[in-house]
């Protein structure tokens, strides 16, 4: 009798240990106490600012206990992507920040990987594009630009802070295409950076600038430029008088998003935990203060929704790059 009771007790204890250990493992998998942010560029850039701001808000508001940061430049972001893939087994607490260039650069072969080789976790913010002219320009709406372009494409030179085939060029080409113009006839003038492109606009070397809304809005408030249109789905609160392209009758949206990726084969439980953490961040006053400081717009697409968003952007950008001759 005693042996039977003892045997039953051992079984119960063994099962209890299994349950508690199992529960502990699930908890460790779904709770996020620390995040190591991998940044594919140098200090002070957009990726760096985004990752460090998100990390600081998460840590300072107590959503996570620890945030650490690692800058890894090179290859247009390819060095960090390759590192995250090849060291995936030890990167379970790592999130890499990235943005629209991961789509463009993978299409053009700057690096061989794409977002599909990682685990998309969520987009977090967007800097929509803005189409800008000097405050004293004869053009008072994007429709004026379209009309002039259709009459004489050479009369409109568009400045941008990226190379031909880069984001600023693609935005302007997509806008012209949506308005019924021929994007192949667009006179795009590339500059080394957004600041130099703005200088080219203000000097009269170009008639319009394709740039990020965050870069344009402060100059517009200072009375130096007019923003003719934005590529957001609806008007932005920081510039309520500026129409969207869709509002003007042109079916075009574009978001230069920034978001986070985990290593390949990251578990769904871990992805869900990261998504939960980022959702909590949006509800904090500190996040809202920092978002406004940098002129960011919230753009939250969690995992599967993020993948669908990336696939849509990849197709739209890829189609325009093919139209312009940058892809076969």
């Amino acid at each position: 009798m005693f042996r039977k009771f003892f045997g039953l007790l051992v079984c119960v204890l063994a099962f209890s240990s299994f349950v508690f250990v199992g529960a502990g493992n699930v908890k460790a998998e779904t709770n996020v106490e620390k995040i190591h942010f991998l940044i594919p560029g140098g200090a002070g850039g957009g990726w760096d600012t985004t990752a460090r701001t998100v990390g600081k808000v998460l840590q300072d508001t107590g959503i996570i206990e620890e945030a650490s940061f690692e800058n890894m430049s090179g290859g247009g972001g390819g060095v960090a992507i390759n590192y995250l893939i090849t060291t995936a087994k030890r990167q379970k607490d790592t999130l890499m920040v990235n943005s629209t260039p991961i789509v463009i650069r993978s299409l053009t072969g700057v690096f061989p990987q794409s977002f599909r080789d990682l685990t998309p976790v969520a987009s977090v913010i967007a800097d929509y594009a803005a189409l800008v002219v000097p405050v004293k320009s004869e053009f008072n709406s994007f429709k004026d630009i379209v009309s002039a372009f259709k009459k004489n494409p050479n009369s409109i030179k568009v400045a941008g802070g990226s190379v031909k085939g880069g984001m600023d060029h693609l935005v302007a080409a997509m806008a012209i295409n949506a308005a019924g113009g021929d994007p192949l006839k667009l006179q795009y003038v590339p500059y080394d950076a957004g600041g130099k492109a703005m200088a080219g606009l203000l000097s009269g070397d170009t008639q319009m600038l394709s740039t990020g809304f965050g870069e344009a809005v402060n100059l517009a408030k200072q009375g130096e430029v007019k923003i003719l249109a934005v590529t957001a789905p609806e008007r932005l609160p920081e510039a309520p008088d500026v129409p969207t392209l869709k509002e003007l009758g042109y079916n075009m949206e574009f978001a230069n998003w920034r978001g986070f990726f985990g290593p390949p084969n990251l578990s769904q439980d871990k992805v869900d935990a990261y998504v939960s953490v980022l959702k909590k961040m949006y509800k904090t006053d500190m996040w809202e203060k920092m978002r406004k400081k940098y002129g960011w717009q919230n753009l939250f697409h969690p995992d599967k929704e993020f993948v669908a968003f990336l696939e849509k952007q990849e197709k739209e950008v890829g189609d325009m790059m093919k139209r312009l001759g940058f892809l076969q």
Side-chain angles (χ1 to χ4, degrees), residues 131 141-150 171-181 228-233 243-254:
L131 301 171
S141 75
F142 184 65
K143 287 191 173 184
D144 293 339
I145 291 282
V146 171
S147 179
F149 178 84
K150 288 182 176 179
V171 166
M174 290 165 73
I176 287 293
N177 183 64
L228 300 183
V230 292
T231 62
T244 67
L245 285 173
K246 278 199 165 183
E247 189 179 335
L248 295 173
Y250 310 130
N251 188 24
M252 187 259 182
E253 290 181 22
F254 186 88

PDB file of all heavy atoms in Angstrom, residues 131 141-150 171-181 228-233 243-254:
ATOM      1  N   LEU A 131       5.859  67.699 -51.165  1.00  0.00           N
ATOM      2  CA  LEU A 131       6.248  68.345 -52.407  1.00  0.00           C
ATOM      3  C   LEU A 131       6.231  69.843 -52.150  1.00  0.00           C
ATOM      4  O   LEU A 131       5.196  70.415 -51.785  1.00  0.00           O
ATOM      5  CB  LEU A 131       5.308  67.938 -53.532  1.00  0.00           C
ATOM      6  CG  LEU A 131       5.287  66.415 -53.788  1.00  0.00           C
ATOM      7  CD1 LEU A 131       4.173  66.035 -54.751  1.00  0.00           C
ATOM      8  CD2 LEU A 131       6.634  65.921 -54.299  1.00  0.00           C
ATOM      9  N   SER A 141      -0.209  75.383 -56.115  1.00  0.00           N
ATOM     10  CA  SER A 141      -0.758  74.062 -55.820  1.00  0.00           C
ATOM     11  C   SER A 141      -0.029  73.034 -56.670  1.00  0.00           C
ATOM     12  O   SER A 141       0.618  73.380 -57.670  1.00  0.00           O
ATOM     13  CB  SER A 141      -2.259  74.008 -56.108  1.00  0.00           C
ATOM     14  OG  SER A 141      -2.486  73.942 -57.507  1.00  0.00           O
ATOM     15  N   PHE A 142      -0.150  71.778 -56.265  1.00  0.00           N
ATOM     16  CA  PHE A 142       0.491  70.735 -57.061  1.00  0.00           C
ATOM     17  C   PHE A 142      -0.168  70.621 -58.430  1.00  0.00           C
ATOM     18  O   PHE A 142       0.476  70.233 -59.408  1.00  0.00           O
ATOM     19  CB  PHE A 142       0.444  69.388 -56.324  1.00  0.00           C
ATOM     20  CG  PHE A 142       1.179  68.293 -57.041  1.00  0.00           C
ATOM     21  CD1 PHE A 142       2.556  68.357 -57.222  1.00  0.00           C
ATOM     22  CD2 PHE A 142       0.501  67.196 -57.560  1.00  0.00           C
ATOM     23  CE1 PHE A 142       3.244  67.360 -57.896  1.00  0.00           C
ATOM     24  CE2 PHE A 142       1.173  66.191 -58.243  1.00  0.00           C
ATOM     25  CZ  PHE A 142       2.546  66.275 -58.408  1.00  0.00           C
ATOM     26  N   LYS A 143      -1.422  70.990 -58.517  1.00  0.00           N
ATOM     27  CA  LYS A 143      -2.096  70.980 -59.815  1.00  0.00           C
ATOM     28  C   LYS A 143      -1.436  71.965 -60.784  1.00  0.00           C
ATOM     29  O   LYS A 143      -1.373  71.713 -61.994  1.00  0.00           O
ATOM     30  CB  LYS A 143      -3.579  71.299 -59.641  1.00  0.00           C
ATOM     31  CG  LYS A 143      -4.368  70.155 -59.021  1.00  0.00           C
ATOM     32  CD  LYS A 143      -5.873  70.392 -59.095  1.00  0.00           C
ATOM     33  CE  LYS A 143      -6.625  69.159 -58.626  1.00  0.00           C
ATOM     34  NZ  LYS A 143      -8.093  69.303 -58.766  1.00  0.00           N
ATOM     35  N   ASP A 144      -0.928  73.084 -60.245  1.00  0.00           N
ATOM     36  CA  ASP A 144      -0.189  74.040 -61.087  1.00  0.00           C
ATOM     37  C   ASP A 144       1.082  73.394 -61.635  1.00  0.00           C
ATOM     38  O   ASP A 144       1.444  73.588 -62.799  1.00  0.00           O
ATOM     39  CB  ASP A 144       0.180  75.287 -60.287  1.00  0.00           C
ATOM     40  CG  ASP A 144      -1.031  76.103 -59.875  1.00  0.00           C
ATOM     41  OD1 ASP A 144      -2.096  75.948 -60.506  1.00  0.00           O
ATOM     42  OD2 ASP A 144      -0.905  76.897 -58.919  1.00  0.00           O
ATOM     43  N   ILE A 145       1.758  72.634 -60.796  1.00  0.00           N
ATOM     44  CA  ILE A 145       2.976  71.921 -61.220  1.00  0.00           C
ATOM     45  C   ILE A 145       2.632  70.923 -62.314  1.00  0.00           C
ATOM     46  O   ILE A 145       3.323  70.840 -63.348  1.00  0.00           O
ATOM     47  CB  ILE A 145       3.627  71.186 -60.026  1.00  0.00           C
ATOM     48  CG1 ILE A 145       4.205  72.179 -59.018  1.00  0.00           C
ATOM     49  CG2 ILE A 145       4.690  70.197 -60.502  1.00  0.00           C
ATOM     50  CD1 ILE A 145       5.515  72.807 -59.388  1.00  0.00           C
ATOM     51  N   VAL A 146       1.572  70.164 -62.113  1.00  0.00           N
ATOM     52  CA  VAL A 146       1.161  69.153 -63.091  1.00  0.00           C
ATOM     53  C   VAL A 146       0.829  69.805 -64.428  1.00  0.00           C
ATOM     54  O   VAL A 146       1.242  69.319 -65.492  1.00  0.00           O
ATOM     55  CB  VAL A 146      -0.052  68.348 -62.561  1.00  0.00           C
ATOM     56  CG1 VAL A 146      -0.626  67.452 -63.653  1.00  0.00           C
ATOM     57  CG2 VAL A 146       0.347  67.519 -61.345  1.00  0.00           C
ATOM     58  N   SER A 147       0.114  70.897 -64.383  1.00  0.00           N
ATOM     59  CA  SER A 147      -0.262  71.603 -65.616  1.00  0.00           C
ATOM     60  C   SER A 147       0.973  72.074 -66.372  1.00  0.00           C
ATOM     61  O   SER A 147       1.083  71.886 -67.594  1.00  0.00           O
ATOM     62  CB  SER A 147      -1.166  72.787 -65.270  1.00  0.00           C
ATOM     63  OG  SER A 147      -1.517  73.507 -66.435  1.00  0.00           O
ATOM     64  N   ALA A 148       1.921  72.685 -65.647  1.00  0.00           N
ATOM     65  CA  ALA A 148       3.149  73.169 -66.284  1.00  0.00           C
ATOM     66  C   ALA A 148       3.968  72.011 -66.831  1.00  0.00           C
ATOM     67  O   ALA A 148       4.549  72.094 -67.931  1.00  0.00           O
ATOM     68  CB  ALA A 148       3.966  73.976 -65.279  1.00  0.00           C
ATOM     69  N   PHE A 149       4.027  70.915 -66.082  1.00  0.00           N
ATOM     70  CA  PHE A 149       4.800  69.745 -66.513  1.00  0.00           C
ATOM     71  C   PHE A 149       4.229  69.162 -67.795  1.00  0.00           C
ATOM     72  O   PHE A 149       4.976  68.787 -68.715  1.00  0.00           O
ATOM     73  CB  PHE A 149       4.802  68.696 -65.405  1.00  0.00           C
ATOM     74  CG  PHE A 149       5.524  67.424 -65.766  1.00  0.00           C
ATOM     75  CD1 PHE A 149       6.901  67.328 -65.617  1.00  0.00           C
ATOM     76  CD2 PHE A 149       4.839  66.320 -66.264  1.00  0.00           C
ATOM     77  CE1 PHE A 149       7.581  66.161 -65.961  1.00  0.00           C
ATOM     78  CE2 PHE A 149       5.504  65.153 -66.603  1.00  0.00           C
ATOM     79  CZ  PHE A 149       6.879  65.075 -66.453  1.00  0.00           C
ATOM     80  N   LYS A 150       2.909  69.070 -67.873  1.00  0.00           N
ATOM     81  CA  LYS A 150       2.285  68.487 -69.060  1.00  0.00           C
ATOM     82  C   LYS A 150       2.485  69.369 -70.298  1.00  0.00           C
ATOM     83  O   LYS A 150       2.603  68.862 -71.419  1.00  0.00           O
ATOM     84  CB  LYS A 150       0.807  68.235 -68.801  1.00  0.00           C
ATOM     85  CG  LYS A 150       0.547  67.059 -67.846  1.00  0.00           C
ATOM     86  CD  LYS A 150      -0.941  66.800 -67.649  1.00  0.00           C
ATOM     87  CE  LYS A 150      -1.175  65.582 -66.774  1.00  0.00           C
ATOM     88  NZ  LYS A 150      -2.613  65.310 -66.533  1.00  0.00           N
ATOM     89  N   VAL A 171       9.344  59.177 -55.252  1.00  0.00           N
ATOM     90  CA  VAL A 171       8.136  59.856 -54.780  1.00  0.00           C
ATOM     91  C   VAL A 171       7.640  60.858 -55.822  1.00  0.00           C
ATOM     92  O   VAL A 171       6.445  60.893 -56.160  1.00  0.00           O
ATOM     93  CB  VAL A 171       8.400  60.568 -53.437  1.00  0.00           C
ATOM     94  CG1 VAL A 171       7.286  61.556 -53.109  1.00  0.00           C
ATOM     95  CG2 VAL A 171       8.530  59.542 -52.319  1.00  0.00           C
ATOM     96  N   ALA A 172       8.554  61.685 -56.337  1.00  0.00           N
ATOM     97  CA  ALA A 172       8.162  62.674 -57.336  1.00  0.00           C
ATOM     98  C   ALA A 172       7.642  62.000 -58.602  1.00  0.00           C
ATOM     99  O   ALA A 172       6.632  62.419 -59.186  1.00  0.00           O
ATOM    100  CB  ALA A 172       9.356  63.582 -57.662  1.00  0.00           C
ATOM    101  N   ALA A 173       8.311  60.932 -59.015  1.00  0.00           N
ATOM    102  CA  ALA A 173       7.886  60.212 -60.226  1.00  0.00           C
ATOM    103  C   ALA A 173       6.520  59.569 -60.035  1.00  0.00           C
ATOM    104  O   ALA A 173       5.676  59.587 -60.943  1.00  0.00           O
ATOM    105  CB  ALA A 173       8.930  59.156 -60.582  1.00  0.00           C
ATOM    106  N   MET A 174       6.283  58.984 -58.859  1.00  0.00           N
ATOM    107  CA  MET A 174       4.991  58.356 -58.580  1.00  0.00           C
ATOM    108  C   MET A 174       3.875  59.400 -58.534  1.00  0.00           C
ATOM    109  O   MET A 174       2.751  59.148 -58.970  1.00  0.00           O
ATOM    110  CB  MET A 174       5.075  57.572 -57.268  1.00  0.00           C
ATOM    111  CG  MET A 174       5.948  56.318 -57.358  1.00  0.00           C
ATOM    112  SD  MET A 174       6.414  55.617 -55.752  1.00  0.00           S
ATOM    113  CE  MET A 174       4.872  54.887 -55.224  1.00  0.00           C
ATOM    114  N   ALA A 175       4.184  60.587 -57.996  1.00  0.00           N
ATOM    115  CA  ALA A 175       3.187  61.658 -57.937  1.00  0.00           C
ATOM    116  C   ALA A 175       2.828  62.145 -59.335  1.00  0.00           C
ATOM    117  O   ALA A 175       1.647  62.322 -59.673  1.00  0.00           O
ATOM    118  CB  ALA A 175       3.706  62.812 -57.080  1.00  0.00           C
ATOM    119  N   ILE A 176       3.842  62.359 -60.166  1.00  0.00           N
ATOM    120  CA  ILE A 176       3.613  62.799 -61.552  1.00  0.00           C
ATOM    121  C   ILE A 176       2.842  61.732 -62.323  1.00  0.00           C
ATOM    122  O   ILE A 176       1.906  62.024 -63.084  1.00  0.00           O
ATOM    123  CB  ILE A 176       4.951  63.109 -62.251  1.00  0.00           C
ATOM    124  CG1 ILE A 176       5.549  64.415 -61.706  1.00  0.00           C
ATOM    125  CG2 ILE A 176       4.798  63.167 -63.756  1.00  0.00           C
ATOM    126  CD1 ILE A 176       4.760  65.667 -62.053  1.00  0.00           C
ATOM    127  N   ASN A 177       3.206  60.478 -62.099  1.00  0.00           N
ATOM    128  CA  ASN A 177       2.526  59.370 -62.776  1.00  0.00           C
ATOM    129  C   ASN A 177       1.051  59.304 -62.372  1.00  0.00           C
ATOM    130  O   ASN A 177       0.165  59.114 -63.220  1.00  0.00           O
ATOM    131  CB  ASN A 177       3.231  58.059 -62.435  1.00  0.00           C
ATOM    132  CG  ASN A 177       2.645  56.871 -63.156  1.00  0.00           C
ATOM    133  OD1 ASN A 177       2.701  56.788 -64.375  1.00  0.00           O
ATOM    134  ND2 ASN A 177       2.074  55.937 -62.402  1.00  0.00           N
ATOM    135  N   ALA A 178       0.777  59.481 -61.071  1.00  0.00           N
ATOM    136  CA  ALA A 178      -0.601  59.450 -60.585  1.00  0.00           C
ATOM    137  C   ALA A 178      -1.428  60.591 -61.169  1.00  0.00           C
ATOM    138  O   ALA A 178      -2.649  60.473 -61.314  1.00  0.00           O
ATOM    139  CB  ALA A 178      -0.620  59.518 -59.060  1.00  0.00           C
ATOM    140  N   ALA A 179      -0.743  61.696 -61.528  1.00  0.00           N
ATOM    141  CA  ALA A 179      -1.438  62.855 -62.097  1.00  0.00           C
ATOM    142  C   ALA A 179      -1.573  62.757 -63.611  1.00  0.00           C
ATOM    143  O   ALA A 179      -2.080  63.693 -64.241  1.00  0.00           O
ATOM    144  CB  ALA A 179      -0.680  64.129 -61.722  1.00  0.00           C
ATOM    145  N   GLY A 180      -1.137  61.642 -64.179  1.00  0.00           N
ATOM    146  CA  GLY A 180      -1.287  61.441 -65.617  1.00  0.00           C
ATOM    147  C   GLY A 180      -0.126  61.922 -66.449  1.00  0.00           C
ATOM    148  O   GLY A 180      -0.196  61.939 -67.685  1.00  0.00           O
ATOM    149  N   GLY A 181       0.990  62.306 -65.791  1.00  0.00           N
ATOM    150  CA  GLY A 181       2.188  62.719 -66.519  1.00  0.00           C
ATOM    151  C   GLY A 181       3.108  61.541 -66.767  1.00  0.00           C
ATOM    152  O   GLY A 181       2.934  60.460 -66.190  1.00  0.00           O
ATOM    153  N   LEU A 228       3.081  72.049 -51.120  1.00  0.00           N
ATOM    154  CA  LEU A 228       1.941  71.946 -52.036  1.00  0.00           C
ATOM    155  C   LEU A 228       1.062  70.738 -51.747  1.00  0.00           C
ATOM    156  O   LEU A 228      -0.152  70.783 -51.946  1.00  0.00           O
ATOM    157  CB  LEU A 228       2.437  71.878 -53.483  1.00  0.00           C
ATOM    158  CG  LEU A 228       3.262  73.065 -53.985  1.00  0.00           C
ATOM    159  CD1 LEU A 228       3.599  72.875 -55.450  1.00  0.00           C
ATOM    160  CD2 LEU A 228       2.522  74.376 -53.764  1.00  0.00           C
ATOM    161  N   ALA A 229       1.684  69.653 -51.304  1.00  0.00           N
ATOM    162  CA  ALA A 229       0.924  68.423 -51.043  1.00  0.00           C
ATOM    163  C   ALA A 229       1.772  67.468 -50.221  1.00  0.00           C
ATOM    164  O   ALA A 229       3.006  67.560 -50.213  1.00  0.00           O
ATOM    165  CB  ALA A 229       0.502  67.756 -52.354  1.00  0.00           C
ATOM    166  N   VAL A 230       1.095  66.557 -49.540  1.00  0.00           N
ATOM    167  CA  VAL A 230       1.782  65.496 -48.800  1.00  0.00           C
ATOM    168  C   VAL A 230       1.255  64.144 -49.275  1.00  0.00           C
ATOM    169  O   VAL A 230       0.162  64.054 -49.836  1.00  0.00           O
ATOM    170  CB  VAL A 230       1.573  65.633 -47.277  1.00  0.00           C
ATOM    171  CG1 VAL A 230       2.278  66.868 -46.748  1.00  0.00           C
ATOM    172  CG2 VAL A 230       0.094  65.662 -46.919  1.00  0.00           C
ATOM    173  N   THR A 231       2.053  63.112 -49.034  1.00  0.00           N
ATOM    174  CA  THR A 231       1.694  61.772 -49.511  1.00  0.00           C
ATOM    175  C   THR A 231       1.005  60.938 -48.436  1.00  0.00           C
ATOM    176  O   THR A 231       0.942  59.720 -48.541  1.00  0.00           O
ATOM    177  CB  THR A 231       2.942  61.029 -50.012  1.00  0.00           C
ATOM    178  OG1 THR A 231       3.869  60.875 -48.903  1.00  0.00           O
ATOM    179  CG2 THR A 231       3.630  61.791 -51.138  1.00  0.00           C
ATOM    180  N   ALA A 232       0.495  61.582 -47.402  1.00  0.00           N
ATOM    181  CA  ALA A 232      -0.206  60.885 -46.319  1.00  0.00           C
ATOM    182  C   ALA A 232      -1.625  60.511 -46.752  1.00  0.00           C
ATOM    183  O   ALA A 232      -2.163  61.088 -47.697  1.00  0.00           O
ATOM    184  CB  ALA A 232      -0.256  61.784 -45.086  1.00  0.00           C
ATOM    185  N   PRO A 233      -2.251  59.569 -46.055  1.00  0.00           N
ATOM    186  CA  PRO A 233      -3.637  59.203 -46.392  1.00  0.00           C
ATOM    187  C   PRO A 233      -4.638  60.287 -46.023  1.00  0.00           C
ATOM    188  O   PRO A 233      -5.738  60.332 -46.560  1.00  0.00           O
ATOM    189  CB  PRO A 233      -3.868  57.926 -45.583  1.00  0.00           C
ATOM    190  CG  PRO A 233      -2.871  57.961 -44.489  1.00  0.00           C
ATOM    191  CD  PRO A 233      -1.686  58.684 -45.030  1.00  0.00           C
ATOM    192  N   PRO A 243      -3.079  69.985 -48.504  1.00  0.00           N
ATOM    193  CA  PRO A 243      -3.870  68.837 -48.969  1.00  0.00           C
ATOM    194  C   PRO A 243      -3.006  67.604 -49.221  1.00  0.00           C
ATOM    195  O   PRO A 243      -1.794  67.698 -49.411  1.00  0.00           O
ATOM    196  CB  PRO A 243      -4.476  69.344 -50.279  1.00  0.00           C
ATOM    197  CG  PRO A 243      -3.474  70.330 -50.787  1.00  0.00           C
ATOM    198  CD  PRO A 243      -2.901  71.002 -49.562  1.00  0.00           C
ATOM    199  N   THR A 244      -3.648  66.455 -49.219  1.00  0.00           N
ATOM    200  CA  THR A 244      -2.977  65.219 -49.629  1.00  0.00           C
ATOM    201  C   THR A 244      -3.116  65.077 -51.143  1.00  0.00           C
ATOM    202  O   THR A 244      -3.994  65.692 -51.762  1.00  0.00           O
ATOM    203  CB  THR A 244      -3.618  64.001 -48.957  1.00  0.00           C
ATOM    204  OG1 THR A 244      -4.943  63.838 -49.474  1.00  0.00           O
ATOM    205  CG2 THR A 244      -3.684  64.167 -47.446  1.00  0.00           C
ATOM    206  N   LEU A 245      -2.264  64.264 -51.734  1.00  0.00           N
ATOM    207  CA  LEU A 245      -2.377  64.000 -53.168  1.00  0.00           C
ATOM    208  C   LEU A 245      -3.718  63.346 -53.490  1.00  0.00           C
ATOM    209  O   LEU A 245      -4.349  63.664 -54.500  1.00  0.00           O
ATOM    210  CB  LEU A 245      -1.218  63.114 -53.638  1.00  0.00           C
ATOM    211  CG  LEU A 245       0.139  63.803 -53.759  1.00  0.00           C
ATOM    212  CD1 LEU A 245       1.219  62.775 -54.068  1.00  0.00           C
ATOM    213  CD2 LEU A 245       0.127  64.889 -54.832  1.00  0.00           C
ATOM    214  N   LYS A 246      -4.152  62.441 -52.622  1.00  0.00           N
ATOM    215  CA  LYS A 246      -5.443  61.780 -52.853  1.00  0.00           C
ATOM    216  C   LYS A 246      -6.586  62.782 -52.848  1.00  0.00           C
ATOM    217  O   LYS A 246      -7.522  62.689 -53.633  1.00  0.00           O
ATOM    218  CB  LYS A 246      -5.673  60.702 -51.790  1.00  0.00           C
ATOM    219  CG  LYS A 246      -4.982  59.390 -52.097  1.00  0.00           C
ATOM    220  CD  LYS A 246      -5.598  58.262 -51.304  1.00  0.00           C
ATOM    221  CE  LYS A 246      -5.172  56.915 -51.879  1.00  0.00           C
ATOM    222  NZ  LYS A 246      -5.794  55.782 -51.178  1.00  0.00           N
ATOM    223  N   GLU A 247      -6.477  63.731 -51.960  1.00  0.00           N
ATOM    224  CA  GLU A 247      -7.500  64.770 -51.864  1.00  0.00           C
ATOM    225  C   GLU A 247      -7.574  65.596 -53.155  1.00  0.00           C
ATOM    226  O   GLU A 247      -8.637  66.073 -53.552  1.00  0.00           O
ATOM    227  CB  GLU A 247      -7.143  65.663 -50.675  1.00  0.00           C
ATOM    228  CG  GLU A 247      -8.178  66.664 -50.266  1.00  0.00           C
ATOM    229  CD  GLU A 247      -7.707  67.474 -49.070  1.00  0.00           C
ATOM    230  OE1 GLU A 247      -6.856  66.983 -48.297  1.00  0.00           O
ATOM    231  OE2 GLU A 247      -8.188  68.605 -48.914  1.00  0.00           O
ATOM    232  N   LEU A 248      -6.421  65.743 -53.814  1.00  0.00           N
ATOM    233  CA  LEU A 248      -6.361  66.501 -55.063  1.00  0.00           C
ATOM    234  C   LEU A 248      -6.810  65.671 -56.265  1.00  0.00           C
ATOM    235  O   LEU A 248      -6.871  66.170 -57.385  1.00  0.00           O
ATOM    236  CB  LEU A 248      -4.936  67.012 -55.300  1.00  0.00           C
ATOM    237  CG  LEU A 248      -4.408  68.034 -54.283  1.00  0.00           C
ATOM    238  CD1 LEU A 248      -2.943  68.336 -54.535  1.00  0.00           C
ATOM    239  CD2 LEU A 248      -5.229  69.320 -54.336  1.00  0.00           C
ATOM    240  N   GLY A 249      -7.113  64.398 -56.004  1.00  0.00           N
ATOM    241  CA  GLY A 249      -7.592  63.536 -57.078  1.00  0.00           C
ATOM    242  C   GLY A 249      -6.545  62.608 -57.659  1.00  0.00           C
ATOM    243  O   GLY A 249      -6.781  61.940 -58.671  1.00  0.00           O
ATOM    244  N   TYR A 250      -5.371  62.541 -57.009  1.00  0.00           N
ATOM    245  CA  TYR A 250      -4.280  61.693 -57.490  1.00  0.00           C
ATOM    246  C   TYR A 250      -4.104  60.517 -56.536  1.00  0.00           C
ATOM    247  O   TYR A 250      -3.787  60.705 -55.362  1.00  0.00           O
ATOM    248  CB  TYR A 250      -2.980  62.499 -57.593  1.00  0.00           C
ATOM    249  CG  TYR A 250      -3.146  63.802 -58.344  1.00  0.00           C
ATOM    250  CD1 TYR A 250      -2.685  64.995 -57.800  1.00  0.00           C
ATOM    251  CD2 TYR A 250      -3.773  63.845 -59.593  1.00  0.00           C
ATOM    252  CE1 TYR A 250      -2.825  66.201 -58.477  1.00  0.00           C
ATOM    253  CE2 TYR A 250      -3.922  65.042 -60.278  1.00  0.00           C
ATOM    254  CZ  TYR A 250      -3.454  66.214 -59.709  1.00  0.00           C
ATOM    255  OH  TYR A 250      -3.610  67.401 -60.392  1.00  0.00           O
ATOM    256  N   ASN A 251      -4.299  59.316 -57.019  1.00  0.00           N
ATOM    257  CA  ASN A 251      -4.316  58.126 -56.176  1.00  0.00           C
ATOM    258  C   ASN A 251      -2.899  57.665 -55.846  1.00  0.00           C
ATOM    259  O   ASN A 251      -2.379  56.722 -56.434  1.00  0.00           O
ATOM    260  CB  ASN A 251      -5.084  57.000 -56.878  1.00  0.00           C
ATOM    261  CG  ASN A 251      -5.293  55.810 -55.954  1.00  0.00           C
ATOM    262  OD1 ASN A 251      -5.288  55.961 -54.733  1.00  0.00           O
ATOM    263  ND2 ASN A 251      -5.468  54.639 -56.530  1.00  0.00           N
ATOM    264  N   MET A 252      -2.293  58.352 -54.896  1.00  0.00           N
ATOM    265  CA  MET A 252      -0.924  58.024 -54.521  1.00  0.00           C
ATOM    266  C   MET A 252      -0.692  58.330 -53.043  1.00  0.00           C
ATOM    267  O   MET A 252      -1.026  59.403 -52.560  1.00  0.00           O
ATOM    268  CB  MET A 252       0.068  58.814 -55.379  1.00  0.00           C
ATOM    269  CG  MET A 252       1.530  58.407 -55.183  1.00  0.00           C
ATOM    270  SD  MET A 252       2.357  59.583 -54.105  1.00  0.00           S
ATOM    271  CE  MET A 252       4.034  58.965 -54.066  1.00  0.00           C
ATOM    272  N   GLU A 253      -0.152  57.350 -52.336  1.00  0.00           N
ATOM    273  CA  GLU A 253       0.290  57.508 -50.947  1.00  0.00           C
ATOM    274  C   GLU A 253       1.703  56.965 -50.847  1.00  0.00           C
ATOM    275  O   GLU A 253       2.076  56.043 -51.582  1.00  0.00           O
ATOM    276  CB  GLU A 253      -0.590  56.722 -49.976  1.00  0.00           C
ATOM    277  CG  GLU A 253      -1.988  57.245 -49.786  1.00  0.00           C
ATOM    278  CD  GLU A 253      -2.766  56.404 -48.776  1.00  0.00           C
ATOM    279  OE1 GLU A 253      -2.128  55.716 -47.953  1.00  0.00           O
ATOM    280  OE2 GLU A 253      -4.000  56.417 -48.836  1.00  0.00           O
ATOM    281  N   PHE A 254       2.479  57.524 -49.924  1.00  0.00           N
ATOM    282  CA  PHE A 254       3.822  56.983 -49.703  1.00  0.00           C
ATOM    283  C   PHE A 254       4.266  57.337 -48.293  1.00  0.00           C
ATOM    284  O   PHE A 254       4.185  58.498 -47.883  1.00  0.00           O
ATOM    285  CB  PHE A 254       4.827  57.531 -50.707  1.00  0.00           C
ATOM    286  CG  PHE A 254       6.191  56.887 -50.595  1.00  0.00           C
ATOM    287  CD1 PHE A 254       6.474  55.727 -51.297  1.00  0.00           C
ATOM    288  CD2 PHE A 254       7.173  57.426 -49.779  1.00  0.00           C
ATOM    289  CE1 PHE A 254       7.724  55.115 -51.195  1.00  0.00           C
ATOM    290  CE2 PHE A 254       8.418  56.828 -49.656  1.00  0.00           C
ATOM    291  CZ  PHE A 254       8.690  55.674 -50.374  1.00  0.00           C
TER     292      PHE A 254
END
